[in-house]
């Protein structure tokens, strides 16, 4: 009778350890999947933000430009900064494609944090661009209104 109790206790211990391993592996898998999904989501959002910024700058240039074929002061630098951001994003996407499946959880978390920081740094610039676009629109309307008044 004593030996059955020991076997039953051993079987319960093995079952408990197996259940713990299964739960831990499931948690790691969900965390890894979540990090990969966050990484792709942040990369998509950053790409959208960068392209939106490029479009806004092009619209502003079209409004301000005396000659649409000649870049305005500062436009070249802004375009280079956007191109650099898009190239960095492309490198990040290549890393995601090539390295993310074998990357450690820490590497994935670091990549997610880097993309989140990049988006956070871009947000104030997008707001400033919105403010500048609004001011430009108001100035153009006032100028047109003044021309019709004269």
């Amino acid at each position: 009778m004593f030996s059955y109790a020991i076997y039953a206790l051993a079987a319960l211990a093995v079952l408990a350890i197996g259940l713990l391993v299964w739960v831990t592996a499931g948690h790691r898998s969900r965390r890894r999947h979540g990090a990969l999904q966050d990484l792709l989501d942040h990369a998509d959002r950053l790409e959208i933000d960068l392209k939106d910024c490029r479009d806004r700058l092009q619209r502003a240039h079209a409004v301000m430009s005396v000659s649409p074929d000649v870049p305005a002061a500062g436009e070249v630098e802004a375009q280079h900064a956007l191109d650099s951001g898009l190239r960095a994003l492309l490198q990040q996407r290549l890393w995601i494609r090539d390295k993310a499946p074998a990357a450690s959880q820490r590497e994935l978390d670091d990549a997610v944090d880097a993309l989140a920081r990049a988006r956070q740094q871009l947000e104030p610039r997008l707001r400033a661009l919105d403010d500048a676009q609004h001011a430009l629109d108001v100035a153009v309307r006032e100028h047109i209104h003044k021309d019709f008044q004269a």
Side-chain angles (χ1 to χ4, degrees):
M1 178 136 194
F2 178 70
S3 63
Y4 289 122
I6 291 177
Y7 289 130
L9 190 58
L12 274 174
V14 168
L15 185 61
I17 291 171
L19 182 61
L20 181 63
V21 167
W22 181 71
V23 167
T24 302
H27 174 72
R28 284 185 181 163
S29 176
R30 284 188 302 281
R31 184 169 177 228
R32 182 174 187 76
H33 178 73
L36 286 168
Q37 189 62 48
D38 287 347
L39 191 58
L40 293 171
D41 289 346
H42 281 297
D44 289 344
R45 287 188 204 122
L46 182 58
E47 182 177 7
I48 289 167
D49 289 346
L50 287 169
K51 288 180 177 181
D52 183 42
C53 188
R54 180 182 59 199
D55 292 344
R56 290 179 192 185
L57 285 172
Q58 287 172 346
R59 282 193 308 269
H61 170 67
V63 170
M64 294 184 336
S65 182
V66 174
S67 174
D69 297 333
V70 178
E75 183 183 355
V76 172
E77 292 83 8
Q79 188 60 46
H80 286 310
L82 283 169
D83 290 344
S84 175
L86 287 167
R87 276 192 302 278
L89 180 62
L90 176 60
Q91 288 176 336
Q92 188 70 17
R93 286 194 182 277
L94 291 172
W95 183 88
I96 292 168
R97 184 193 70 194
D98 297 339
K99 306 286 184 180
S104 70
Q105 186 64 48
R106 179 162 176 83
E107 290 172 319
L108 291 174
D109 291 341
D110 289 347
V112 169
D113 291 342
L115 284 174
R117 279 192 311 276
R119 287 196 67 233
Q120 287 172 349
Q121 290 171 352
L122 187 59
E123 284 177 15
R125 293 179 178 130
L126 288 172
R127 282 193 300 275
L129 187 56
D130 280 340
D131 293 343
Q133 184 68 48
H134 177 70
L136 181 61
D137 290 344
V138 168
V140 167
R141 279 194 297 270
E142 287 175 358
H143 181 71
I144 291 171
H145 182 40
K146 190 189 301 184
D147 284 348
F148 282 123
Q149 295 291 324

